[in-house]
Amino acid sequence: MKKALIIVDVQNDFCEGGALAVPGANEIIPYINLLMQDNEYDQIVLTQDWHPANHKSFASNNGKKVGDNIILNGIPQFMWPDHCVQGTFGAEFHPDLNRDKVTHIIQKGTNTDFDSYSGFQDNNHFMKTGLDDFLKYHDIQLLEIVGLALDYCVKFTCLDAAQLGYVTCLHFNGTRGVNVKPDSAKNAIYEMLQNTVTILG
Ligand code: VGL
Ligand code: ZN
């Protein structure tokens, strides 16, 4: 059985000092580097949040405050600070992340009007990113998932992975939650467990 490691959004803006810093984010980087050193993955994929400056998920582009909610294309959209703007330092992968064995990069959130938490598709389920096609082409059946943020992009990537039929494992030590809403990381764990995602300690 072939397996892949999916590393979600380990980018400067989600790490210490970033525009949308996830508490404890930097602690997961050595853990992820060890996983890559100690395991033989058939593929290692990075996802990269990669927004145009006028992206509709940014509070600043809607005359809103960070933390507000709007309806975007018929679904609720949390208003984020500007983050991971294409071509900026904040959108780059954290320099401590070892990229030697990375085989593929998936960029998401590139369409101004649609946010994309999952590495597989946008939040409206309108466009696929190419991740599923890539993994199927390479005969991958098992996914180990790590990265940021547990309660957003990691959760939705895990749920889609399980739904698409992959054996899906989340490394609890390889992720951190942003917890902009109380208990959202804890609730994300329960939701994943209820949807056949295995949590590895
Ligand atoms: C993410 C909020 C906005 C994430 C991305 O990577 O979890 N969260 N964009
Ligand atoms: Zn984003």
Side-chain angles (χ1 to χ4, degrees), residues 5 68 78 144:
L5 180 67
D68 287 350
F78 189 88
E144 296 181 24

Side-chain angles (χ1 to χ4, degrees), residues 64-72 76-79 152 181:
K64 297 289 182 188
K65 292 197 298 285
V66 172
D68 287 350
N69 283 281
I70 65 165
I71 299 295
L72 182 59
Q77 172 69 51
F78 189 88
M79 291 286 89
Y152 287 91
K181 297 174 187 167

